[in-house]
Amino acid sequence: MFKRVLMASAVVSLFAACSSTQPPAAVTEQPAQPVVVAPVAPVVDAQAQAQAAAQARMQAERARLAGESIYFDFDSNAVKADQQAKVAAHAEFLKLNAQQKVQIQGNTDARGSREYNLGLGQRRAESVKNSLEVLGVKDAQLEAVSYGKEKPRAEGASPTDHAENRRADVSYAQ
C-alpha cells in the first residue's frame, strides 16, 4: 500500500511541476536604433616596433661591414695597423650578434702559382680569424677559407689592381 501512495504522490508532483510554468511575457517591438561604430586606432606594440627597428639597424650595419675588406701587403698575411679598426668593427658586431656566422675569404693578387696563392689566401683568412678571436669573437662564428687568385676584385695588372686583390673579405651568413 505504501508503494501506491508513494507512486500517486510522485504522479501528482509531476503534474504540479508541469503546470507551474508561467506564460511568456509579452514582447513589445521597439524601432531599430542605428548602430554607431567608433573608429578604432591600430594597436601599436611598442616592443615589436622596437625589435623591428633594432633588426633594421643590425641589417644596415651588417651590409656596411660586408663591404669592408681587410687589405694586406705583398706576400704577407699580417694584418696591417691601418686595417685593425676594420677588424675591430667586425669583432664588435659579431660579439653583439652571437648568432651571426661569417666566412673569412682570403684572396691574393695574380702573381705566383695557384698552390702558393691558395696557401697565402688561407694564411690571410686565418690571420683575420685569429685577430677576431683575440678580440672576443667565438670560434664557432668564424670560418676561414682561401680563394687564392680565383676571385679577383680588380682584373688589371697595375700595382693598384694587385693591391685591391690582396685582401680578406668577411662574408656574413644570412
Side-chain angles (χ1 to χ4, degrees):
M1 164 108 173
F2 180 72
K3 284 185 181 180
R4 285 185 187 168
V5 171
L6 186 59
M7 189 65 124
S9 69
V11 171
V12 169
S13 297
L14 182 63
F15 286 124
C18 291
S19 66
S20 67
T21 59
Q22 299 178 354
V27 176
T28 59
E29 287 208 24
Q30 296 182 359
Q33 297 290 326
V35 177
V36 179
V37 177
V40 177
V43 177
V44 178
D45 185 271
Q47 186 177 9
Q49 194 174 26
Q51 286 176 342
Q55 183 73 15
R57 283 191 305 274
M58 184 190 79
Q59 289 174 346
E61 182 66 5
R62 182 174 55 199
R64 184 189 71 78
L65 287 172
E68 293 285 330
S69 296
I70 293 95
Y71 292 96
F72 295 86
D73 286 331
F74 174 72
D75 200 29
S76 172
N77 64 307
V79 177
K80 302 189 305 184
D82 66 342
Q83 300 297 303
Q84 291 293 336
K86 292 178 184 178
V87 175
H90 284 289
E92 286 305 311
F93 180 82
L94 290 168
K95 287 190 300 186
L96 290 173
N97 299 284
Q99 78 289 352
Q100 180 67 63
K101 295 185 181 209
V102 295
Q103 184 181 69
I104 305 157
Q105 303 167 347
N107 296 277
T108 65
D109 60 31
R111 297 175 286 185
S113 71
R114 180 178 184 278
E115 292 79 17
Y116 180 80
N117 283 332
L118 281 171
L120 178 58
Q122 187 66 37
R123 289 191 302 277
R124 287 176 175 168
E126 292 290 339
S127 179
V128 172
K129 178 182 178 196
N130 292 337
S131 296
L132 290 169
E133 288 175 339
V134 166
L135 293 171
V137 179
K138 295 177 186 161
D139 179 65
Q141 292 177 264
L142 307 171
E143 177 187 13
V145 299
S146 176
Y147 287 110
K149 59 184 178 181
E150 304 303 317
K151 288 181 70 176
R153 186 173 286 163
E155 293 291 335
S158 72
T160 304
D161 293 331
H162 288 304
E164 182 69 24
N165 291 328
R166 293 190 305 262
R167 69 189 192 283
D169 296 322
V170 181
S171 176
Y172 285 82
Q174 300 294 331

